[in-house]
Amino acid sequence: KKPLFALKKDKKQEDEKKEQEEDADKEKEDENAVTLKHLFKFEFDITEGRQVSCIDVNEANPDLIAVGYGEFDIDCTKTLKEGLLCFWTLKNPNFPEKMIKTEHSITTCQFSKKSPHLIAVEDSHGNIAIYNVKNTGDKPIAESKDLEGKHTDIVWELKWVEREGKGEALVSISGDGRVIEWSMKKGLEFTELMQLKRETNPN
């Protein structure tokens, strides 16, 4: 029989060995694990508790990030909460460089690639507004709010696209099923590219 102190020593060695094996397994798992490293947090009191609906980075100046705040509720056309567009930079993550308040919840935004000082914003009421970020004010240089034939439902997506022989144009798609191309040659004009139709269920 082993003396009691020897048994205790063996038990301690076994526990240490088991602990080392568990640590090694954990390190092995950590090496293969996909993790996210927290780099920056952009926030201040006005954006606290608000939902981020879209983000876009300026290609000409990757330090400039546009963030749109809106609602994810599918019935956001009925809400009265205003939208907010903030321009953040890495220089000051605690306060945006510029803020634009909109009448309705923002659903999507994108910087122009050809003219990176321009940004297009669309909202839950089918409105499109184009802003010049160089301007000191917060008024759009063009908007569809009073145009007849504009989108009549939530605008879900928009893209600046290069059109052959036409330069850069803006294309949007809305819950009204319409895909529209926008031009700023003579104010804000639009052309309907297609109408998406809901297919009826054969059953």
Side-chain angles (χ1 to χ4, degrees), residues 130-149:
I130 299 168
Y131 295 89
N132 184 342
V133 295
K134 290 181 178 178
N135 291 351
T136 52
D138 59 357
K139 299 292 181 190
I141 59 169
E143 61 180 335
S144 69
K145 187 178 177 182
D146 299 322
L147 284 180
E148 194 176 326

Side-chain angles (χ1 to χ4, degrees), residues 4-93:
L4 187 60
F5 72 86
L7 290 171
K8 285 183 178 177
K9 189 177 180 183
D10 289 345
K11 180 76 169 70
K12 190 179 179 184
Q13 286 175 343
E14 280 177 23
D15 289 344
E16 285 176 353
K17 189 179 178 184
K18 193 176 178 182
E19 200 175 307
Q20 285 172 355
E21 286 173 357
E22 285 175 356
D23 287 345
D25 289 341
K26 195 175 179 184
E27 281 177 20
K28 198 173 180 181
E29 284 175 16
D30 288 346
E31 284 174 12
N32 299 325
V34 177
T35 58
L36 291 173
K37 190 177 180 183
H38 189 141
L39 295 176
F40 300 98
K41 189 174 183 180
F42 300 100
E43 64 172 354
F44 77 127
D45 56 352
I46 294 178
T47 62
E48 191 176 346
R50 302 202 64 161
Q51 296 170 342
V52 173
S53 56
C54 53
I55 298 175
D56 195 40
V57 178
N58 191 296
E59 285 192 9
N61 178 14
D63 182 45
L64 184 62
I65 303 164
V67 180
Y69 298 85
E71 305 297 321
F72 288 129
D73 184 355
I74 195 70
D75 291 327
C76 58
T77 50
K78 296 174 184 175
T79 63
L80 297 173
K81 196 167 185 179
E82 65 181 14
L84 183 66
L85 185 67
C86 290
F87 297 90
W88 298 95
T89 66
L90 300 179
K91 296 171 191 170
N92 186 3

Side-chain angles (χ1 to χ4, degrees), residues 5 32 36 56 60 72 94 116 118-119 124 153-154 179:
F5 72 86
N32 299 325
L36 291 173
D56 195 40
F72 288 129
N94 296 317
L118 299 181
I119 186 167
S124 60
D153 201 357
I154 300 169
V179 181

Side-chain angles (χ1 to χ4, degrees), residues 97-110:
E97 292 292 308
K98 185 180 179 73
M99 271 191 311
I100 294 172
K101 289 183 180 179
T102 60
E103 188 179 351
H104 305 296
S105 182
I106 291 175
T107 53
T108 181
C109 66
Q110 192 179 52

